[in-house]
Amino acid sequence: MADLTIPEGGFWPAPEIPQPNIYPMEWHVETEKLAAIYEKSKRELWNPADLPWDGLDPDDFTREQRLGIMYWFAVLANFDASGPAVFARATIQAFEKHEEDPVRKCFFSITRDEMNHEECCQRTIARLWPGGPLDWTPADDLESAAHNNIGWLYHNGGRYWTGYTSAVGRYSLPVLFTSFMMGEMAASTLFRGMSSGTRHPVFSKMFERIGRDEARHLKICMTILENEWPGLTDETRALITRQLRAGFVFLSMILWEPPEGFWELPPYFLNNHRILMDHARQAGLGVLSYDEQAENWRVAMAHIRAIVERWGIAFPAIPELDLEGVPVDFIDPEEIIPVF
């Protein structure tokens, strides 16, 4: 064996690595529960291509119903299509901040799941409305209304992404994960209702699997928050309160209807949105009624309230759902970071 080269005076220490940086690499584990959730995510992995897509026949629906279903999935895509990029960015930040190994792996698992959810939107739209969401030419007023509404939705999605990318590096884990937790609570609520309400087997299987993923994401968020919430400062608690209000405003577009505070929409948007949602509902997609959506959202917000108040975090007033709390009068789009 060749002799080692050992310089006089000993080896030279490698330069200090400026942070944030993914190096030096390490795999320390502090929360075994997170490691177990990550292992479960691998066992529960599913492939959207394996859903019975041949059973989704466009001829089974009227043109208005196909348009309505496409529109609903376009609304969903405004949230789910941002999921892979949002959690990919958060995964990189977790590496740069040298979070424990299970946190990084759980972020990765959510990124992978969100890509599956986006693929479900993609496949459904391609099958029922080729060229959707936006790469098609409307043939009448109803189609023009759908096309225009989707354009406005994606305008706001772009504003969300701009705000998220500028905000995510500024916030601590408790703030980020409270925002993520709210999105996962909302998603679990939505897909639980959709899977039981839909009349079509493709959508039933799809929503069941997505709902299972979202429930696991919620467990990840809650496990991390149980580690991070003790010892919160008053400043961080106030930030979380604002993020809870921001999450309600942002997520209501898919859970219910968009309140004021973030959404830049033309005055005709909401009426046309309701008509298109009615067509999706009549197609048997499983879209809940206005009142059922409001009640589901109210129950989800009550769960969130019970969770955060245990840690001394004030719950924001949600007057749209008649929920009392701390008034939050202004939401800066630069502060909105929830993900669905």
Side-chain angles (χ1 to χ4, degrees):
M1 181 179 293
D3 292 337
L4 292 171
T5 300
I6 301 177
E8 187 176 347
F11 292 109
W12 304 346
E16 191 83 12
I17 298 173
Q19 299 297 323
N21 197 303
I22 66 168
Y23 292 97
M25 193 58 67
E26 68 274 316
W27 294 274
H28 63 279
V29 176
E30 298 168 9
T31 312
E32 293 289 349
K33 184 177 178 180
L34 281 177
I37 294 173
Y38 175 66
E39 290 301 317
K40 185 177 182 180
S41 77
K42 292 189 285 186
R43 294 192 298 272
E44 293 182 343
L45 186 62
W46 58 284
N47 182 0
D50 292 338
L51 292 174
W53 294 105
D54 288 345
L56 187 60
D57 187 348
D59 292 336
D60 288 342
F61 306 96
T62 68
R63 179 188 66 91
E64 293 82 3
Q65 289 173 343
R66 287 191 293 110
L67 182 65
I69 294 174
M70 184 279 287
Y71 179 77
W72 187 89
F73 274 94
V75 176
L76 179 63
N78 196 54
F79 297 87
D80 269 354
S82 71
V86 164
F87 276 105
R89 179 66 58 86
T91 302
I92 292 170
Q93 182 174 324
F95 272 82
E96 288 180 336
K97 291 192 172 183
H98 302 275
E99 302 293 347
E100 61 170 306
D101 184 55
V103 169
R104 303 188 316 228
K105 283 184 165 62
C106 283
F107 267 149
F108 163 75
S109 74
I110 297 174
T111 306
R112 181 196 57 215
D113 290 340
E114 295 292 342
M115 190 64 78
N116 277 354
H117 304 172
E118 180 190 10
E119 184 178 335
C120 288
C121 298
Q122 174 190 6
R123 286 177 176 271
T124 303
I125 291 173
R127 193 162 188 88
L128 295 182
W129 203 269
L134 287 173
D135 192 18
W136 54 284
T137 301
D140 60 19
D141 288 345
L142 182 64
E143 293 183 11
S144 295
H147 194 276
N148 185 257
N149 266 24
I150 294 168
W152 278 99
L153 275 167
Y154 290 178
H155 156 68
N156 284 278
R159 294 172 60 234
Y160 160 74
W161 176 246
T162 300
Y164 175 82
T165 53
S166 66
V168 66
R170 300 199 309 264
Y171 289 130
S172 63
L173 271 185
V175 178
L176 283 176
F177 268 92
T178 302
S179 302
F180 294 163
M181 177 268 289
M182 187 166 187
E184 304 304 351
M185 182 75 78
S188 298
T189 299
L190 175 71
F191 290 111
R192 186 167 55 248
M194 297 286 289
S195 64
S196 62
T198 184
R199 299 196 301 266
H200 200 287
V202 172
F203 299 135
S204 178
K205 292 177 185 296
M206 177 195 302
F207 296 150
E208 179 186 350
R209 285 161 176 74
I210 294 176
R212 185 179 63 191
D213 290 345
E214 301 294 3
R216 188 175 60 254
H217 300 173
L218 182 58
K219 287 181 183 178
I220 292 170
C221 292
M222 291 308 305
T223 302
I224 291 174
L225 287 172
E226 286 167 5
N227 291 339
E228 296 291 334
W229 271 341
L232 289 177
T233 65
D234 289 342
E235 181 182 9
T236 300
R237 287 191 181 92
L239 274 174
I240 290 173
T241 299
R242 293 183 62 78
Q243 277 301 314
L244 292 172
R245 174 63 187 172
F248 168 77
V249 170
F250 181 62
L251 296 167
S252 285
M253 175 62 79
I254 185 64
L255 264 290
W256 190 33
E257 288 187 348
E260 295 182 1
F262 168 77
W263 296 94
E264 292 180 352
L265 301 168
Y268 54 79
F269 178 93
L270 190 53
N271 181 69
N272 295 343
H273 176 81
R274 289 169 176 166
I275 291 171
L276 290 158
M277 286 294 184
D278 276 341
H279 287 304
R281 189 176 291 114
Q282 291 162 14
L285 183 58
V287 180
L288 301 178
S289 70
Y290 176 88
D291 290 336
E292 289 170 334
Q293 287 174 324
E295 182 57 26
N296 260 17
W297 209 186
R298 189 177 292 109
V299 169
M301 294 300 292
H303 286 323
I304 293 169
R305 179 177 204 145
I307 291 167
V308 300
E309 286 185 343
R310 288 207 319 264
W311 297 96
I313 299 166
F315 188 78
I318 311 290
E320 296 88 348
L321 296 176
D322 298 322
L323 296 175
E324 296 181 354
V326 175
V328 177
D329 298 325
F330 173 72
I331 297 297
D332 187 340
E334 295 285 316
E335 296 178 352
I336 290 187
I337 56 174
V339 67
F340 194 67

